[in-house]
Amino acid sequence: MKKLKLSINLFLGISLICAMVGCNNGSHYNNGNSNIITNINQKLEESAFTQLENELDKWNNAHPQVEYKKIKTKILKCFITKDTILDLNKTSLTVLPSNQIFTYLPHLEKFILSGNKLEDIKPEAFNNLINLRDLNLDKNLLTNILYGTFNNLNNLQNLSLSSNKLINIESGAFYGLNNLKDLYLSTNYLTRLNSEVLESLYNLQTLDLSSNELTKITSDTFIGLSNLQDLDLEWNSLTSIEPNSFYGLNNLQTINLNDNLLTTIKTDTFNGLNNLSKLGLYGNEIITIEPGAFNGINSSCIFPRLLNDE
């Protein structure tokens, strides 16, 4: 490999000199030039393929996978064709391929890992997938998302973690997701969200937290989400929403609070939501609405949705 690199450097040097001073046998040289480049690229590609295959075998030896042959074939095919989508849905994955393997797939834009048996993801596990835009981890067995898990995924726009067994998301878990627009966390077991979990997601537009076990929303739960448009909190166990909990969410258009355990809507609960067009409160146990509870929002978005979700 070292000799091959030296040959490439030598070839590039000769090409540069010829480009500067001109070559007498132009067309003959150009044809030879093209053939050499093709041969070098082919050898490099073959070498990279072999290295990737070795990395996959090494990973499987450390973490034997039931459907390894299927997984290996899909990854190698993705490498050869430079496909932007890799679908490993329902391949019985128990451990993610190593980060070293992902260095061979920098072109990947969509990665489907749903329907597997992943129980944890190590920090920076996807570090080398620098062009990834869509990551689907639905229907796995994840219980915790660690700090820095998605670090370096600056181009990621869609992240789905629905239908796992999440009970905790550490502060900084979503650090680095500066361009994330859609985050799906529905159908998990989250009882609370630390105030620092979401604060770095300042470009987020859709947040789905439905079908969890959240009991309380505080004034700093959604701090920093100034571009959020749709917030789904349906089917939780919410008994309390602090005043000004949604303050600063200037672009919010929809809040779904249907089917919770709310009994009181406090003063200034929805303060600052000037662009809100739909508010769902159906299926709660509301007995008290304090004066000024709906300050700052258009009454047409409350009724009849206070009584139904049509």
Side-chain angles (χ1 to χ4, degrees), residues 131-282:
N131 290 303
L132 200 63
R133 294 176 179 274
D134 191 325
L135 178 58
N136 190 329
L137 287 157
D138 289 349
K139 298 179 181 177
N140 276 281
L141 304 173
L142 300 171
T143 58
N144 187 27
I145 305 298
L146 301 173
Y147 173 90
T149 294
F150 305 105
N151 192 34
N152 208 40
L153 297 184
N154 299 322
N155 291 305
L156 197 69
Q157 295 183 8
N158 189 313
L159 174 59
S160 193
L161 289 156
S162 296
S163 300
N164 276 276
K165 297 181 179 296
L166 291 176
I167 57 175
N168 183 54
I169 300 176
E170 292 186 3
S171 298
F174 301 125
Y175 177 78
L177 300 182
N178 302 327
N179 291 299
L180 194 69
K181 292 182 178 178
D182 305 308
L183 177 58
Y184 300 94
L185 294 165
S186 65
T187 319
N188 281 291
Y189 298 92
L190 297 170
T191 57
R192 67 185 185 87
L193 282 177
N194 186 298
S195 62
E196 298 176 352
V197 169
L198 302 169
E199 67 176 359
S200 63
L201 303 177
Y202 43 81
N203 281 312
L204 197 66
Q205 295 179 6
T206 301
L207 177 58
D208 187 353
L209 286 160
S210 61
S211 299
N212 276 279
E213 297 179 4
L214 297 172
T215 59
K216 185 178 182 180
I217 301 297
T218 64
S219 59
D220 58 3
T221 300
F222 302 116
I223 195 168
L225 304 185
S226 58
N227 286 300
L228 194 65
Q229 296 178 15
D230 299 296
L231 176 59
D232 195 343
L233 291 160
E234 185 178 24
W235 287 109
N236 275 276
S237 300
L238 292 173
T239 59
S240 174
I241 301 177
E242 288 185 1
N244 297 304
S245 287
F246 306 109
Y247 190 80
L249 307 186
N250 304 322
N251 291 297
L252 200 61
Q253 298 175 18
T254 302
I255 302 180
N256 188 349
L257 289 162
N258 293 336
D259 297 298
N260 277 280
L261 303 174
L262 296 170
T263 59
T264 302
I265 307 297
K266 301 176 182 177
T267 301
D268 288 333
T269 292
F270 303 104
N271 186 30
L273 300 181
N274 302 322
N275 291 308
L276 197 68
S277 60
K278 182 175 180 180
L279 171 60
L281 286 164
Y282 173 78

Side-chain angles (χ1 to χ4, degrees), residues 58-76:
K58 188 191 304 182
W59 163 70
N60 186 59
N61 289 335
H63 310 283
Q65 301 296 309
V66 174
E67 297 188 43
Y68 175 59
K69 186 175 180 180
K70 181 178 180 181
I71 295 167
K72 181 178 180 179
T73 300
K74 286 192 171 191
I75 292 177
L76 290 175

